Amino acid sequence: MMMQMMMGGPYGKGAGKAGLITFANDKKVYIGGLPLTTAPDVELNKRLKEHMNKAGACLYAEVGRGQKGGAAFRTREEVANACALLNGSEFEGCTLVVEAWGKPPQA
């Protein structure tokens, strides 16, 4: 019973948030052009994180639906470096679009 109360109880909100939502927007990048996935793929996320580490200390990376995803870094400088270095890079046979989080898409 005590454990249920600590975890939000049977009617609570759970243990908390996870993923990209837990990072500040100025420390995240949007990634487009990712491989198409039909379900969450932990191994693909790990490979994407390794790829993003080329720009700095990537803390988290995730491939979402619709060939989109994101990654989080420690500093804004690493975000800028990721945009400059990894935009147009190849990952799993796909050409990535890497932009600062929240930046309007270029037409």
Side-chain angles (χ1 to χ4, degrees):
M1 180 67 169
M2 183 60 148
M3 189 58 147
Q4 268 188 339
M5 288 171 44
M6 289 172 53
M7 295 297 289
Y11 307 106
K13 294 183 180 181
K17 297 176 183 176
L20 281 173
I21 199 166
T22 62
F23 296 94
N25 287 345
D26 65 340
K27 308 275 178 64
K28 295 188 285 191
V29 295
Y30 159 85
I31 307 168
L34 289 164
L36 185 61
T37 60
T38 56
D41 186 339
V42 174
E43 292 304 315
L44 183 61
N45 290 345
K46 286 179 184 178
R47 291 192 302 273
L48 178 60
K49 184 175 183 280
E50 287 174 19
H51 182 77
M52 300 308 288
N53 270 326
K54 295 174 185 175
C58 182
L59 302 174
Y60 183 84
E62 149 181 289
V63 177
R65 294 185 214 167
Q67 296 179 290
K68 300 174 189 168
F73 292 89
R74 288 192 190 280
T75 66
R76 284 181 273 186
E77 291 77 20
E78 289 172 332
V79 167
N81 193 36
C83 293
L85 184 66
L86 299 175
N87 188 34
S89 66
E90 293 290 320
F91 174 73
E92 304 274 322
C94 298
T95 302
L96 299 184
V97 175
V98 180
E99 297 177 342
W101 193 266
K103 180 180 175 187
Q106 299 295 319

Short mmCIF file of all heavy atoms in Angstrom, two decimals, residues 30 87 97 99 103-107:
data_model
loop_
_atom_site.label_atom_id
_atom_site.label_comp_id
_atom_site.label_asym_id
_atom_site.label_seq_id
_atom_site.Cartn_x
_atom_site.Cartn_y
_atom_site.Cartn_z
N TYR A 30 15.97 19.13 -32.89
CA TYR A 30 15.01 18.37 -33.68
C TYR A 30 15.80 17.59 -34.72
O TYR A 30 16.76 18.12 -35.30
CB TYR A 30 14.03 19.33 -34.37
CG TYR A 30 13.33 18.73 -35.56
CD1 TYR A 30 12.19 17.97 -35.41
CD2 TYR A 30 13.83 18.92 -36.85
CE1 TYR A 30 11.55 17.41 -36.50
CE2 TYR A 30 13.21 18.36 -37.95
CZ TYR A 30 12.06 17.60 -37.77
OH TYR A 30 11.44 17.04 -38.85
N ASN A 87 23.86 18.30 -39.35
CA ASN A 87 22.83 18.55 -40.35
C ASN A 87 23.37 18.08 -41.70
O ASN A 87 24.44 18.49 -42.13
CB ASN A 87 22.46 20.03 -40.40
CG ASN A 87 21.26 20.29 -41.29
OD1 ASN A 87 20.35 19.49 -41.38
ND2 ASN A 87 21.28 21.42 -41.96
N VAL A 97 18.24 15.88 -40.95
CA VAL A 97 18.03 17.31 -40.81
C VAL A 97 18.11 17.59 -39.31
O VAL A 97 17.33 17.06 -38.53
CB VAL A 97 16.65 17.74 -41.34
CG1 VAL A 97 16.39 19.22 -41.06
CG2 VAL A 97 16.52 17.43 -42.81
N GLU A 99 18.19 20.58 -36.47
CA GLU A 99 17.92 21.99 -36.21
C GLU A 99 17.69 22.21 -34.72
O GLU A 99 17.28 21.29 -34.02
CB GLU A 99 16.68 22.45 -36.97
CG GLU A 99 16.80 22.36 -38.47
CD GLU A 99 15.53 22.75 -39.19
OE1 GLU A 99 14.45 22.77 -38.55
OE2 GLU A 99 15.61 23.05 -40.38
N LYS A 103 12.82 25.72 -33.72
CA LYS A 103 13.09 26.56 -34.88
C LYS A 103 12.08 26.23 -35.97
O LYS A 103 11.85 25.06 -36.26
CB LYS A 103 14.51 26.32 -35.38
CG LYS A 103 14.89 27.15 -36.58
CD LYS A 103 16.31 26.84 -37.02
CE LYS A 103 16.63 27.60 -38.29
NZ LYS A 103 17.93 27.20 -38.82
N PRO A 104 11.46 27.25 -36.60
CA PRO A 104 10.49 26.95 -37.66
C PRO A 104 11.16 26.22 -38.83
O PRO A 104 12.31 26.55 -39.17
CB PRO A 104 10.00 28.32 -38.12
CG PRO A 104 10.53 29.31 -37.15
CD PRO A 104 11.63 28.65 -36.37
N PRO A 105 10.50 25.22 -39.41
CA PRO A 105 11.09 24.49 -40.53
C PRO A 105 11.33 25.41 -41.73
O PRO A 105 10.55 26.32 -41.99
CB PRO A 105 10.07 23.41 -40.87
CG PRO A 105 8.86 23.68 -40.08
CD PRO A 105 9.18 24.74 -39.07
N GLN A 106 12.43 25.16 -42.44
CA GLN A 106 12.78 25.94 -43.61
C GLN A 106 11.97 25.44 -44.82
O GLN A 106 11.90 24.25 -45.05
CB GLN A 106 14.27 25.82 -43.91
CG GLN A 106 15.16 26.33 -42.79
CD GLN A 106 15.00 27.83 -42.57
OE1 GLN A 106 14.91 28.58 -43.51
NE2 GLN A 106 14.96 28.24 -41.31
N ALA A 107 11.39 26.36 -45.57
CA ALA A 107 10.58 25.96 -46.74
C ALA A 107 11.41 25.93 -48.00
O ALA A 107 12.45 26.45 -48.12
CB ALA A 107 9.43 26.94 -46.92
#
